[in-house]
Amino acid sequence: MPMGFLQFAADWTITYVNAGAERTFRRNRADLLGRNAWQAFPGNEESAFGRTYRRVARTRVPEVAEAFSAALGAWFEVRVVPAEQGGINVFFTDTTQRHRAQERLAVLAQVSAEVVGSPDAVQSMSRIPRLLVPVLADWAVVTVLDDAGRPGTSGAGTPTPSCGRCWSGTASCGWGPCPRPPR
């Protein structure tokens, strides 16, 4: 996705909107130009983005910030640079995919630490589904094979909005007995 760009005058009037910003906000530039930034983007004034914008406008020192936009449901990196006559230029990119990748890597590191760091492989394996779901999967099963290669102890899990526990219907899922049977 191309970089989005907005320019705000010293009085917070939006003076420029590029095509990347139009796509990101799903709004036409004609609807944004000439409007007050805080009215055009309610909730931004008190956000990490708004604090960064005001600080750069006040100090005239460029800054980079990254935060989650609840309104857009995405992570953004913003580069804010002082503009002429007291305004600011805001360059931004969607970094949601990078955040998801970092989250996945963190989970994989936890799984690795769980497997390597535990002397009890069976107990360790039963905890892995709780680490994987819902970050890497909607459902997970880990089966430990015995010395003969036969399936032994299993761990499984799918958290639910109501209980946050496994729906496998077994007590061996790692979360204990299911409050409700599977569908």
Side-chain angles (χ1 to χ4, degrees):
M1 169 183 262
M3 184 172 279
F5 175 75
L6 298 169
Q7 186 174 61
F8 303 140
D11 67 355
W12 300 107
T13 300
I14 301 170
T15 58
Y16 190 88
V17 178
N18 80 347
E22 283 183 299
R23 278 190 295 281
T24 299
F25 301 127
R26 297 178 199 97
R27 294 168 75 180
N28 187 305
R29 76 183 67 190
D31 295 335
L32 296 171
L33 289 173
R35 291 190 61 195
N36 177 277
W38 311 127
Q39 292 170 353
F41 303 107
N44 240 11
E45 190 168 6
E46 299 306 318
S47 72
F49 302 118
R51 288 188 296 275
T52 302
Y53 300 165
R54 286 192 310 278
R55 195 170 37 253
V56 170
R58 184 180 66 253
T59 65
R60 312 306 294 157
V61 175
E63 286 191 37
V64 176
E66 189 165 21
F68 184 77
S69 168
L72 298 173
W75 283 90
F76 289 93
E77 178 183 276
V78 296
R79 296 178 179 274
V80 186
V81 180
E84 294 179 12
Q85 300 174 356
I88 60 170
N89 294 319
V90 179
F91 301 87
F92 60 92
T93 55
D94 184 333
T95 57
T96 304
Q97 292 303 321
R98 183 177 73 203
H99 273 270
R100 286 184 183 149
Q102 288 170 337
E103 188 175 51
R104 287 185 205 111
L105 287 173
V107 168
L108 291 175
Q110 284 180 301
V111 168
S112 177
E114 185 69 43
V115 171
V116 175
S118 175
D120 184 346
V122 173
Q123 185 181 22
S124 179
M125 293 299 146
S126 71
R127 289 191 292 261
I128 289 176
R130 285 181 272 176
L131 298 172
L132 298 176
V133 177
V135 178
L136 294 181
D138 293 327
W139 209 92
V141 175
V142 175
T143 302
V144 178
L145 303 178
D146 65 17
D147 292 337
R150 294 182 304 256
T153 307
S154 294
T158 301
T160 65
S162 60
C163 71
R165 293 171 59 190
C166 168
W167 276 60
S168 71
T170 69
S172 65
C173 71
W175 283 284
C178 282
R180 300 191 303 201
R183 293 181 199 174

